[in-house]
Amino acid sequence: MQSQISVPQPIPYQGSKRGIASQILPRLPEKIERLVEPFAGSAAISIAVASRRGASKFWLNDAHKPLMDLWKAIIDTPEKLADSYEYLWNEQLGNEREYYNQVRERFNQSHEPADFLYLLARCVKAAIRYNSKGEFNNTPDNRRKGAKPSEMRSRLLRTSLLFSNRVRFTSYDYKSVLKNCTMCDLVYMDPPYQGVCKNRDPRY
């Protein structure tokens, strides 16, 4: 069995299950009416299932609203998002560190999906981190510039095609998602490591 399923990964994301999706999928039913991810994150399992045509519909949810706004842009307007990412990627050249800081500051004001995609492509370990004020504060990985625009465009378009017209996006608390599931849904629970830091910062 292959250790990794060849599927698009539009969002670089710490903790993604993309690398072990091939080990998870055999444990799921071959046909699913609707796959629900209450903690969507990178939606790696939904992407893998969609690539196998293993579900008719999908429900992607994450309490982190900017992440779900990004997902909606990936699925509904991939060309527009790809154009915006290409602009940001080209604008950074020769001034990568300072430009990253500018985009990060702007994202903390507007939460624009394209800015968020750029930050995730460039930040250290693709980790979403916020300070006590609710501001994204992860630093850039200065060894790389992020996925090249042509590669990112391919990832976005391929992912959009997989989910087009059959996915729901929400930013609910996971308990609300579970209350609205039915016996026809398969719920894939992959919760974050909440509260692992006991001494200083127990936030998500």
Side-chain angles (χ1 to χ4, degrees):
M1 180 182 295
Q2 294 181 344
S3 60
Q4 185 166 301
I5 297 171
S6 179
V7 296
Q9 183 189 24
I11 301 177
Y13 202 84
Q14 188 177 56
S16 173
K17 297 301 183 290
R18 179 173 180 263
I20 60 172
S22 60
Q23 300 174 48
I24 295 174
L25 260 61
R27 292 165 171 78
L28 306 182
E30 289 188 5
K31 293 297 180 180
I32 302 165
E33 184 166 330
R34 184 172 67 170
L35 178 61
V36 181
E37 286 205 64
F39 307 98
S42 70
I45 299 304
S46 287
I47 294 174
V49 169
S51 71
R52 297 283 184 88
R53 301 179 183 271
S56 299
K57 296 180 180 180
F58 299 85
W59 182 359
L60 299 182
N61 177 84
D62 199 288
H64 186 211
K65 189 176 186 301
L67 177 62
M68 296 316 300
D69 289 342
L70 174 55
W71 264 114
K72 184 171 177 58
I74 290 171
I75 306 306
D76 292 348
T77 56
E79 287 280 10
K80 179 181 178 181
L81 182 60
D83 288 344
S84 296
Y85 176 84
E86 182 173 2
Y87 173 82
L88 295 172
W89 194 92
N90 286 321
E91 283 293 299
Q92 75 176 337
L93 298 178
N95 192 34
E96 289 85 357
R97 177 59 190 262
E98 291 77 9
Y99 191 76
Y100 177 95
N101 291 339
Q102 292 172 21
V103 174
R104 184 177 63 186
E105 182 178 355
R106 185 173 65 222
F107 169 75
N108 284 325
Q109 297 296 321
S110 66
H111 289 167
E112 282 294 320
D115 288 344
F116 197 24
L117 180 61
Y118 170 80
L119 293 174
L120 287 175
R122 290 268 341 262
C123 70
V124 173
K125 297 182 179 179
I128 296 178
R129 295 175 182 166
Y130 289 88
N131 62 24
S132 60
K133 297 179 181 179
E135 298 169 331
F136 185 90
N137 68 346
N138 199 0
T139 55
D141 184 341
N142 294 314
R143 300 168 299 178
R144 57 191 179 89
K145 298 180 176 66
K148 292 183 178 180
S150 59
E151 174 59 27
M152 182 61 79
R153 185 179 298 273
S154 174
R155 295 177 188 177
L156 297 176
L157 293 176
R158 289 170 60 202
T159 304
S160 177
L161 188 61
L162 287 175
F163 288 107
S164 184
N165 298 318
R166 57 194 188 116
V167 60
R168 178 185 181 186
F169 307 99
T170 56
S171 298
Y172 300 155
D173 179 273
Y174 78 96
K175 295 177 184 178
S176 297
V177 175
L178 297 180
K179 287 180 181 178
N180 286 279
C181 290
T182 72
M183 294 297 293
C184 296
D185 295 322
L186 176 67
V187 181
Y188 176 75
M189 297 285 282
D190 186 10
Y193 293 101
Q194 184 174 9
V196 295
C197 180
K198 297 180 181 179
N199 298 324
R200 189 169 65 87
D201 190 352
R203 291 171 300 145
Y204 170 68

